[in-house]
Amino acid sequence: MPWLPLMKTFLILALCYINFFTQANHSIIPEPFSYEAVEGVLISQGFKFKDNSKLKKVEFVKTIFNEYLESINISSEGKTTIELNYTNSIKNKEEYTLEVNSKGISIGASNFGGFHNALQTLKQMLPVSITNRSIEIPFCKIIDQPRFEWRGLMLDVSRHFFTVEEVKDYIDKMSEFKFNKFHWHLTDDEGWRVEIKSLPKLTEIGAWRGERNGRFGEDRPSPTPNEPKTYGGFYTQEEIKDVIDYAEKRNITIIPEIDIPGHSMALLAAYPELSTKKEITQVSVGHKFAEWFDDGSFKIYTENMLNPANEKVYQTLDKIYSEIAKLFPGEYIHMGGDECYKGYWEESNEVKNFMKKNKMENMHDLQAYFIDRVQKIIESKGKKMIGWDEITEGHLNQDAAVMSWQGMKGGIKAAKLGHKVVMSPTTYAYLDYIQGDKSVENSIYASLSLEKSYKFEPVPDSVNPKFIMGGQGNLWTEVIPTLSFAYYMTYPRALSISETLWSPKEKKNWENFANKTLVHFNRFDEQKINISKAVLDPIITVYKSGEKIMCKLENNIPGTLIYYSIDNTYPVQFGKKYTGPFTIPNGDLSLRTQTFLNNKAVGRTLQVHREELLKRI
């Protein structure tokens, strides 16, 4: 494979204020289906479009691309031609070809999505910013198409509210990496975020809660009826339409989620008569109202589930889904269906009588009944239902799709029943999990490194691939109060998910991806977007070997060295070079460790006291 010296222009890294060079054929994420390097370089002062696409919608991608050029000080009225050619031999609506040669740049596609994706690739071939100098793009030929039709990210706006502009910003960035589905988690216990005109209390009451700061959980005081409800917000239907239009222009379909029958505390705060106890309750403020047990079961102390025996529940849901279906043009509506605690149903005489009347033997039958009713409501609006893997308890219509979050098993079950499946397992796709050492991360109940997320494979060996629509990364926001931190948690793991869902399985290569990610660190830095570089930190593993307590350090970025001290000395670079596992001695001491690349520090200094190290055995 030829190396192109001028590619170094694109590979200057600014990590921890240090520049260094990494050789690569290209830095495009996700990896194209086919990339052929050709000898030569295109030198340009700016670009202009020659549009032979015959597609009106392509005006959107041209406008957005020209705005991007202007933002990085590249002329959109230059001499180098970007030629857009309609190519009827291309059948996949997101496929494209891209060629860079001495004549300019030529793009072929048969659909708006293909032209959009081609220009996202071209963006990554440009410098992040330019001042009074030429642009150099290596000659190449690219043929590219997605592996999966569903390439998604989910943003939870209930636990923390994000403004319209923030949501647009999040959508804009995900579109650059060829994601095409935005799952909008609009309702939960902590807030109802979408205007339903026929049910005004949903936003008058359900969208607002008492102000709290700090972590969710038992240290947060429970809500009180008379406290000011000042935190929250919602999207008007006009704002929703605006966001939908914004996303469509970036080749993204929005999937709205109305999470029921559990996770409904905000709905019940507005309409308490829809619960079994019919008691007035408050929107959750992030306080502890549930207990989780080691066997995976849980108990809810404040009722947060709809009453499946109450016909008014279905009348209310019909109103909600009617307005949601009119707002969102996409094929699917997400009904949630996860983590429904059935204890209040079991205690309710109304529910018991309903089950007896309808010859239901257990709670499984009752939940199946509820899911069946909701599916019929959604389908009556001309939409298909998708839900978390718990909905497989119901007697699903074949058109219903399943989003598998509890590992892969729910998706495997659904696929074997003939349902379309989106894989979004906690083990590989939960972006709220910490991504580095817990000594420097905002701790939550689990961890997911970039390396592990890159191992995500959406098609299990036992499943017919035709039933797997694709996959999705999910960002729950209990510990994510700002857009800046949302980006920190989303990227770079979303880059790995993008490559998994777009690129051919056989093209995935960790070392190649890691080197490309280093290049993108620089791009995010230049754009002043806060993302995690935890992948550069050492990975600390503590274990016992006989009576000795041993420590292993590792880092999976090619070329890194690790230095450490275990005797309370610092800085780390004057400690020991790590060559293999070492014994943790007795005493009041801390491990300090850091990674280096080309003799420059790149990862954070980790400091972990011996007492904490022992807890990690």
Side-chain angles (χ1 to χ4, degrees), residues 244-259:
I244 290 169
D245 179 67
Y246 190 88
E248 284 183 344
K249 290 176 179 176
R250 288 154 180 80
N251 196 44
I252 289 177
T253 300
I254 298 180
I255 298 89
E257 181 182 356
I258 306 298
D259 198 355

PDB file of all heavy atoms in Angstrom, residues 244-259:
ATOM      1  N   ILE A 244     -37.302  18.046  13.011  1.00  0.00           N
ATOM      2  CA  ILE A 244     -37.488  16.984  12.013  1.00  0.00           C
ATOM      3  C   ILE A 244     -36.963  17.443  10.652  1.00  0.00           C
ATOM      4  O   ILE A 244     -36.246  16.704   9.959  1.00  0.00           O
ATOM      5  CB  ILE A 244     -38.977  16.585  11.915  1.00  0.00           C
ATOM      6  CG1 ILE A 244     -39.422  15.850  13.184  1.00  0.00           C
ATOM      7  CG2 ILE A 244     -39.230  15.716  10.679  1.00  0.00           C
ATOM      8  CD1 ILE A 244     -40.919  15.661  13.292  1.00  0.00           C
ATOM      9  N   ASP A 245     -37.310  18.671  10.272  1.00  0.00           N
ATOM     10  CA  ASP A 245     -36.846  19.223   8.998  1.00  0.00           C
ATOM     11  C   ASP A 245     -35.323  19.328   8.976  1.00  0.00           C
ATOM     12  O   ASP A 245     -34.673  18.993   7.976  1.00  0.00           O
ATOM     13  CB  ASP A 245     -37.481  20.598   8.776  1.00  0.00           C
ATOM     14  CG  ASP A 245     -37.024  21.253   7.486  1.00  0.00           C
ATOM     15  OD1 ASP A 245     -37.367  20.740   6.405  1.00  0.00           O
ATOM     16  OD2 ASP A 245     -36.318  22.291   7.553  1.00  0.00           O
ATOM     17  N   TYR A 246     -34.754  19.774  10.088  1.00  0.00           N
ATOM     18  CA  TYR A 246     -33.296  19.902  10.205  1.00  0.00           C
ATOM     19  C   TYR A 246     -32.627  18.545  10.023  1.00  0.00           C
ATOM     20  O   TYR A 246     -31.624  18.417   9.312  1.00  0.00           O
ATOM     21  CB  TYR A 246     -32.963  20.488  11.574  1.00  0.00           C
ATOM     22  CG  TYR A 246     -31.525  20.890  11.757  1.00  0.00           C
ATOM     23  CD1 TYR A 246     -31.079  22.152  11.402  1.00  0.00           C
ATOM     24  CD2 TYR A 246     -30.596  20.001  12.308  1.00  0.00           C
ATOM     25  CE1 TYR A 246     -29.752  22.533  11.573  1.00  0.00           C
ATOM     26  CE2 TYR A 246     -29.270  20.370  12.485  1.00  0.00           C
ATOM     27  CZ  TYR A 246     -28.855  21.640  12.118  1.00  0.00           C
ATOM     28  OH  TYR A 246     -27.543  21.998  12.292  1.00  0.00           O
ATOM     29  N   ALA A 247     -33.188  17.525  10.671  1.00  0.00           N
ATOM     30  CA  ALA A 247     -32.618  16.182  10.588  1.00  0.00           C
ATOM     31  C   ALA A 247     -32.748  15.601   9.183  1.00  0.00           C
ATOM     32  O   ALA A 247     -31.805  14.987   8.658  1.00  0.00           O
ATOM     33  CB  ALA A 247     -33.296  15.264  11.604  1.00  0.00           C
ATOM     34  N   GLU A 248     -33.908  15.786   8.559  1.00  0.00           N
ATOM     35  CA  GLU A 248     -34.130  15.245   7.217  1.00  0.00           C
ATOM     36  C   GLU A 248     -33.112  15.791   6.220  1.00  0.00           C
ATOM     37  O   GLU A 248     -32.663  15.083   5.326  1.00  0.00           O
ATOM     38  CB  GLU A 248     -35.548  15.558   6.750  1.00  0.00           C
ATOM     39  CG  GLU A 248     -36.617  14.690   7.391  1.00  0.00           C
ATOM     40  CD  GLU A 248     -38.006  14.977   6.859  1.00  0.00           C
ATOM     41  OE1 GLU A 248     -38.195  16.047   6.231  1.00  0.00           O
ATOM     42  OE2 GLU A 248     -38.908  14.142   7.059  1.00  0.00           O
ATOM     43  N   LYS A 249     -32.748  17.049   6.366  1.00  0.00           N
ATOM     44  CA  LYS A 249     -31.770  17.661   5.467  1.00  0.00           C
ATOM     45  C   LYS A 249     -30.379  17.084   5.686  1.00  0.00           C
ATOM     46  O   LYS A 249     -29.467  17.346   4.894  1.00  0.00           O
ATOM     47  CB  LYS A 249     -31.759  19.178   5.668  1.00  0.00           C
ATOM     48  CG  LYS A 249     -33.024  19.855   5.159  1.00  0.00           C
ATOM     49  CD  LYS A 249     -33.028  21.342   5.465  1.00  0.00           C
ATOM     50  CE  LYS A 249     -34.295  22.003   4.937  1.00  0.00           C
ATOM     51  NZ  LYS A 249     -34.378  23.441   5.302  1.00  0.00           N
ATOM     52  N   ARG A 250     -30.205  16.323   6.731  1.00  0.00           N
ATOM     53  CA  ARG A 250     -28.927  15.683   7.048  1.00  0.00           C
ATOM     54  C   ARG A 250     -29.035  14.161   6.997  1.00  0.00           C
ATOM     55  O   ARG A 250     -28.263  13.453   7.612  1.00  0.00           O
ATOM     56  CB  ARG A 250     -28.447  16.166   8.428  1.00  0.00           C
ATOM     57  CG  ARG A 250     -27.973  17.610   8.373  1.00  0.00           C
ATOM     58  CD  ARG A 250     -28.068  18.335   9.692  1.00  0.00           C
ATOM     59  NE  ARG A 250     -27.586  19.707   9.535  1.00  0.00           N
ATOM     60  CZ  ARG A 250     -28.305  20.715   9.019  1.00  0.00           C
ATOM     61  NH1 ARG A 250     -29.552  20.503   8.628  1.00  0.00           N
ATOM     62  NH2 ARG A 250     -27.787  21.926   8.895  1.00  0.00           N
ATOM     63  N   ASN A 251     -30.035  13.679   6.246  1.00  0.00           N
ATOM     64  CA  ASN A 251     -30.226  12.246   6.013  1.00  0.00           C
ATOM     65  C   ASN A 251     -30.503  11.471   7.293  1.00  0.00           C
ATOM     66  O   ASN A 251     -30.097  10.321   7.448  1.00  0.00           O
ATOM     67  CB  ASN A 251     -28.987  11.648   5.313  1.00  0.00           C
ATOM     68  CG  ASN A 251     -29.271  10.280   4.714  1.00  0.00           C
ATOM     69  OD1 ASN A 251     -30.308  10.066   4.094  1.00  0.00           O
ATOM     70  ND2 ASN A 251     -28.361   9.340   4.906  1.00  0.00           N
ATOM     71  N   ILE A 252     -31.216  12.100   8.222  1.00  0.00           N
ATOM     72  CA  ILE A 252     -31.517  11.457   9.508  1.00  0.00           C
ATOM     73  C   ILE A 252     -33.018  11.408   9.726  1.00  0.00           C
ATOM     74  O   ILE A 252     -33.716  12.422   9.599  1.00  0.00           O
ATOM     75  CB  ILE A 252     -30.819  12.183  10.662  1.00  0.00           C
ATOM     76  CG1 ILE A 252     -29.311  11.925  10.611  1.00  0.00           C
ATOM     77  CG2 ILE A 252     -31.378  11.753  12.017  1.00  0.00           C
ATOM     78  CD1 ILE A 252     -28.510  12.649  11.656  1.00  0.00           C
ATOM     79  N   THR A 253     -33.504  10.216  10.054  1.00  0.00           N
ATOM     80  CA  THR A 253     -34.897  10.011  10.434  1.00  0.00           C
ATOM     81  C   THR A 253     -34.994   9.991  11.951  1.00  0.00           C
ATOM     82  O   THR A 253     -34.167   9.363  12.611  1.00  0.00           O
ATOM     83  CB  THR A 253     -35.428   8.680   9.865  1.00  0.00           C
ATOM     84  OG1 THR A 253     -35.322   8.709   8.440  1.00  0.00           O
ATOM     85  CG2 THR A 253     -36.874   8.447  10.273  1.00  0.00           C
ATOM     86  N   ILE A 254     -36.004  10.667  12.501  1.00  0.00           N
ATOM     87  CA  ILE A 254     -36.183  10.706  13.954  1.00  0.00           C
ATOM     88  C   ILE A 254     -37.215   9.675  14.377  1.00  0.00           C
ATOM     89  O   ILE A 254     -38.301   9.594  13.796  1.00  0.00           O
ATOM     90  CB  ILE A 254     -36.603  12.111  14.428  1.00  0.00           C
ATOM     91  CG1 ILE A 254     -35.506  13.123  14.080  1.00  0.00           C
ATOM     92  CG2 ILE A 254     -36.880  12.112  15.930  1.00  0.00           C
ATOM     93  CD1 ILE A 254     -35.807  14.545  14.506  1.00  0.00           C
ATOM     94  N   ILE A 255     -36.859   8.897  15.382  1.00  0.00           N
ATOM     95  CA  ILE A 255     -37.773   7.917  15.977  1.00  0.00           C
ATOM     96  C   ILE A 255     -38.162   8.435  17.355  1.00  0.00           C
ATOM     97  O   ILE A 255     -37.328   8.472  18.266  1.00  0.00           O
ATOM     98  CB  ILE A 255     -37.126   6.518  16.098  1.00  0.00           C
ATOM     99  CG1 ILE A 255     -36.761   5.971  14.721  1.00  0.00           C
ATOM    100  CG2 ILE A 255     -38.052   5.545  16.813  1.00  0.00           C
ATOM    101  CD1 ILE A 255     -35.393   6.345  14.238  1.00  0.00           C
ATOM    102  N   PRO A 256     -39.414   8.874  17.547  1.00  0.00           N
ATOM    103  CA  PRO A 256     -39.832   9.372  18.858  1.00  0.00           C
ATOM    104  C   PRO A 256     -40.150   8.223  19.804  1.00  0.00           C
ATOM    105  O   PRO A 256     -40.701   7.203  19.384  1.00  0.00           O
ATOM    106  CB  PRO A 256     -41.103  10.159  18.529  1.00  0.00           C
ATOM    107  CG  PRO A 256     -41.690   9.432  17.350  1.00  0.00           C
ATOM    108  CD  PRO A 256     -40.507   8.917  16.558  1.00  0.00           C
ATOM    109  N   GLU A 257     -39.787   8.387  21.074  1.00  0.00           N
ATOM    110  CA  GLU A 257     -40.152   7.377  22.073  1.00  0.00           C
ATOM    111  C   GLU A 257     -41.063   7.979  23.120  1.00  0.00           C
ATOM    112  O   GLU A 257     -40.734   8.987  23.750  1.00  0.00           O
ATOM    113  CB  GLU A 257     -38.925   6.781  22.755  1.00  0.00           C
ATOM    114  CG  GLU A 257     -39.314   5.704  23.777  1.00  0.00           C
ATOM    115  CD  GLU A 257     -38.136   5.099  24.518  1.00  0.00           C
ATOM    116  OE1 GLU A 257     -36.981   5.446  24.213  1.00  0.00           O
ATOM    117  OE2 GLU A 257     -38.378   4.269  25.428  1.00  0.00           O
ATOM    118  N   ILE A 258     -42.212   7.351  23.307  1.00  0.00           N
ATOM    119  CA  ILE A 258     -43.115   7.620  24.425  1.00  0.00           C
ATOM    120  C   ILE A 258     -43.052   6.377  25.298  1.00  0.00           C
ATOM    121  O   ILE A 258     -43.624   5.341  24.963  1.00  0.00           O
ATOM    122  CB  ILE A 258     -44.559   7.876  23.935  1.00  0.00           C
ATOM    123  CG1 ILE A 258     -44.590   8.993  22.876  1.00  0.00           C
ATOM    124  CG2 ILE A 258     -45.476   8.187  25.110  1.00  0.00           C
ATOM    125  CD1 ILE A 258     -44.113  10.348  23.369  1.00  0.00           C
ATOM    126  N   ASP A 259     -42.344   6.445  26.418  1.00  0.00           N
ATOM    127  CA  ASP A 259     -41.992   5.255  27.187  1.00  0.00           C
ATOM    128  C   ASP A 259     -43.118   4.876  28.144  1.00  0.00           C
ATOM    129  O   ASP A 259     -43.407   5.593  29.113  1.00  0.00           O
ATOM    130  CB  ASP A 259     -40.700   5.528  27.965  1.00  0.00           C
ATOM    131  CG  ASP A 259     -40.027   4.240  28.433  1.00  0.00           C
ATOM    132  OD1 ASP A 259     -40.603   3.158  28.239  1.00  0.00           O
ATOM    133  OD2 ASP A 259     -38.922   4.320  28.999  1.00  0.00           O
TER     134      ASP A 259
END
